[in-house]
Amino acid sequence: MTALSHPVLPKVMRRSFLEASARERVLGLADAGSLQEFCPPAERLASPHLATLGLSRAFDDGVVVGRATLAGARVLLAAQEGRFNGGSVGEVHGAKLVGLLQGALVSKPAAVLLLLDSGGVRLHEANAGILAISEVARAMLAVRAAGIPLLVLLGGSCGAFGGMGIASRLAHRVLMSEEARLSLSGPEVIETVKGKEEFNSRDRALVWRITGGKTRRALGEADVLVEDDIAAFRQAAINTLAALPLAPAADGLAALGQVGLQLRQQALLARSARFAGVRDGDAVITQLSALSAAQAALADATTFEQALAAVSHATAAPDTAQVARRALQADQLLDTEDQAFADRLFGAGSHQLRVNGHFLAGTAQGPAGPLAVVGTRDRAPIGLTLALAMAEAILNVIRQDEVLPTEARRAIVLLADTQGQALSRHEELLGLNGALAHLALCVDLARRSGHPLLTLVRHEAVSGGFLSFGMLGDRICALPEAQVRVMDLRAMARVTKLPLAQLEALAQTSAIFAPGAENFYRLGGIHALWSEQDDWSRALADALQHLDRDDQRAALGAARGGRVLAQSVAERVCALAAQVV
Amino acid sequence: MEYFELSLPSQAVTLAAPAPGNTTDVLCGVVASGNLEILVEAHSGADVRFMVETTADGFRETWDAVLTQFAGSHASGGLTFTMNDVGSTPAVVALRLAQAHESWLRAGSRA
């Protein structure tokens, strides 16, 4: 008996995707010699904001965008460099992605491939960063709706977190290695706020069981598990594109329509019920595959895919889904504060709003016809249930107005009052990022079905919670008490290791990172600020007359002088990506 | 953060610039802790030029030694090396410069 009982096949010529740089990844993915980069490093599109803070910059701001061919087909692609500031999205970085996606709408390539590797917003330019991610999300939704296949490839060490975790799930398909991670809040953030018992961020095995590729693939949050090999990613992308159904009706995945979203809503509800209280990925993998936890840990990508295919994906019994559904109904009367707020906004007796915890929904009589109202209240932490409740309410509005001509469909007022996403290991395990992406898809479907969308920010609008619905509005207005932010300055000073005094001083002149609705107004992320003295009914009527059906926020930010690069960089990249060569 | 430029004599680089659009071939390294990126471009002069932005203040003598050694050992007259550095050790800088130089020659030979 020798120790060498297992003949291991030599991994000849295997080039790790994980260890490669962004450029090496795109070069290895595309057909040899076909890559043409847009705005390459020599153009020095570095971040001016990092320079202001005295921090190192990169010539490409950490993202490669360009065109290439993949197995002969014309594609547009982007790759984030995870090693530069954690692949984080700042103004220029985000604008390059937006430009690429907008160009795709014109040149209609065979696919757009996004090799994401990002912790989310770049905190050094936090406000511009979250707006950029929101613009990336809007552009992804547009590409998707245009029926252009959109793939996200995850194989880097940063994975996709924060806003990029939500954006990833807006793609038609997610291809992912075991080594990559996909989630919303980082384990460190959850541990800091909720304690080590909730999520021990130092337990690497646990972190991967919650957020890693195998758990995500088992849940269906990723569509293909890929070996950590650039050639394997290339082949998986080619195979996935060949198998992608493009007819909108097929399974709704090309332009996920109403039926597709309703099916997904049911699947997400059933999954929530089935895995209620589950806090470890092993329980998910063993239930959804034919493997034990130990077998799953050792399985290569092919074995793992086979083990998933061997189990029929039974959904939870309908009555379980019904129980979960009850948590989605807003059926309680408003408290006195909400009542006074709604009276001032819509007029006393002109609204029928109901609440359920942090969830609020109903109807109101608007200045020019009936309105639907969907939103959150009381500084809601947005978790799976609340996200699905809002998605359900929006799908209901779409269904109720289906019989009406497009122009007669009700405007939806999105009331945003959120402290951000809920922080919990369980919610991360079940893919809160995916649930928020689902909500975003429902909001986008409402827009495409003809429903005008008006967002009103009431008390707080913070990060991921705001990103997934409020920031998708055709017009976004902030009420006087509204606090809009990514992170407060103290926390930002801790994370960026910059002195608080330096950040406070810079915040006096720059709208780029400091909290506040006024700063978001200057950047174009808030269309209008309402004051305490305003007549809100009149302001509401005015807002409903001034809706932007397309995303104009970068232009607004440029016109207001707060965000001077986003529009011009996006336009430059878009002009190149729009060409067919 | 420190910024400086340095011009040094060096033997003329032998190959022409790579074809436009192939600029991916002349960027080396990544801006990350203990690492740097180097962009190589041609200029019309005979010297080799270095433009360095580094987060590590007060290491000018070490930089001069590494860059002088490189200019002497690699024919790079007519090239500009622009660097974004996050505290690389001299060995890493020397390695990346050699890689960048080699990438330039490889790209040039294809052009």
Side-chain angles (χ1 to χ4, degrees), chain A residues 11-311:
Chain A
K11 291 175 178 173
V12 191
M13 299 299 286
R14 191 156 140 173
R15 284 174 58 216
S16 167
F17 190 98
L18 183 75
E19 287 165 27
S21 70
R23 274 195 179 67
E24 288 163 350
R25 287 173 191 166
V26 282
L27 282 167
L29 202 81
D31 296 344
S34 73
L35 180 72
Q36 276 186 298
E37 189 175 351
F38 305 144
C39 300
E43 294 192 22
R44 293 171 168 76
L45 285 185
S47 162
H49 311 302
L50 290 175
T52 308
L53 293 166
L55 299 169
S56 48
R57 300 171 289 170
F59 293 122
D60 57 10
D61 206 30
V63 64
V64 180
V65 291
R67 75 165 71 84
T69 58
L70 179 69
R74 195 162 56 79
V75 297
L76 291 173
L77 33 74
Q80 295 181 300
E81 177 52 70
R83 283 179 288 177
F84 175 65
N85 280 324
S88 60
V89 180
E91 182 176 0
V92 173
H93 180 120
K96 287 173 77 176
L97 291 169
V98 171
L100 185 84
L101 291 157
Q102 289 175 340
L105 294 173
V106 181
S107 60
K108 305 229 182 305
V112 179
L113 281 69
L114 304 178
L115 286 62
L116 304 182
D117 193 3
S118 174
V121 170
R122 185 182 298 160
L123 288 175
H124 312 86
E125 36 191 302
N127 303 349
I130 195 154
L131 279 174
I133 292 183
S134 173
E135 286 161 350
V136 168
R138 282 285 298 267
M140 286 177 75
L141 289 164
V143 165
R144 189 185 169 120
I148 300 164
L150 179 58
L151 303 188
V152 161
L153 285 68
L154 300 174
S157 61
C158 293
F161 279 88
M164 293 315 287
I166 299 174
S168 293
R169 296 289 289 123
L170 299 176
H172 290 118
R173 295 286 188 271
V174 176
L175 284 58
M176 187 173 183
S177 70
E178 178 184 0
E179 288 79 358
R181 294 171 295 159
L182 172 59
S183 216
L184 187 56
S185 301
E188 290 82 2
V189 175
I190 296 175
E191 183 188 298
T192 305
V193 178
K194 292 292 174 105
K196 193 161 255 174
E197 308 72 35
E198 178 63 24
F199 206 159
N200 181 358
S201 66
R202 291 193 146 187
D203 184 342
R204 305 312 280 169
L206 173 67
V207 170
W208 259 263
R209 289 202 305 276
I210 302 297
T211 65
K214 280 181 174 164
T215 300
R216 289 297 175 235
R217 175 64 193 97
L219 277 172
E221 290 290 308
D223 303 282
V224 187
L225 189 70
V226 187
E227 285 301 323
D228 173 34
D229 175 22
I230 296 178
F233 266 97
R234 175 180 152 85
Q235 197 53 52
I238 293 169
N239 296 348
T240 303
L241 287 172
L244 200 64
L246 278 178
D251 66 348
L253 279 160
L256 199 63
Q258 201 177 334
V259 175
L261 284 172
Q262 270 159 4
L263 287 173
R264 186 180 274 188
Q265 174 81 3
Q266 277 161 20
L268 288 173
L269 283 168
R271 187 210 280 175
S272 277
R274 178 173 185 180
F275 294 111
V278 171
R279 297 177 76 240
D280 197 312
D282 277 351
V284 171
I285 288 176
T286 49
Q287 280 198 47
L288 293 174
S289 73
L291 300 170
S292 70
Q295 286 169 329
L298 291 172
D300 64 17
T302 313
T303 314
F304 196 77
E305 286 289 351
Q306 284 164 353
L308 287 179
V311 175

Side-chain angles (χ1 to χ4, degrees), chain A residues 21-23 27 35-37 40-44 50 54-60 64 81 83-85, chain B residues 1 21-25 27 30-33 35 37-39 41 51 53 55 82-86 96:
Chain A
S21 70
R23 274 195 179 67
L27 282 167
L35 180 72
Q36 276 186 298
E37 189 175 351
E43 294 192 22
R44 293 171 168 76
L50 290 175
L55 299 169
S56 48
R57 300 171 289 170
F59 293 122
D60 57 10
V64 180
E81 177 52 70
R83 283 179 288 177
F84 175 65
N85 280 324
Chain B
M1 188 68 86
N22 265 345
T23 45
T24 45
D25 288 338
L27 187 84
V30 171
V31 184
S33 183
N35 207 337
E37 69 175 354
I38 304 181
L39 180 65
E41 292 160 300
M51 303 166 89
E53 191 171 279
T55 54
T82 312
M83 294 171 241
N84 288 322
D85 170 57
V86 192
R96 289 273 176 264

Side-chain angles (χ1 to χ4, degrees), chain A residues 45 65 167 227 326 331 410 438 561 580:
Chain A
L45 285 185
V65 291
E227 285 301 323
R326 235 164 264 148
D331 50 13
R410 285 171 292 172
H438 169 69
V580 179

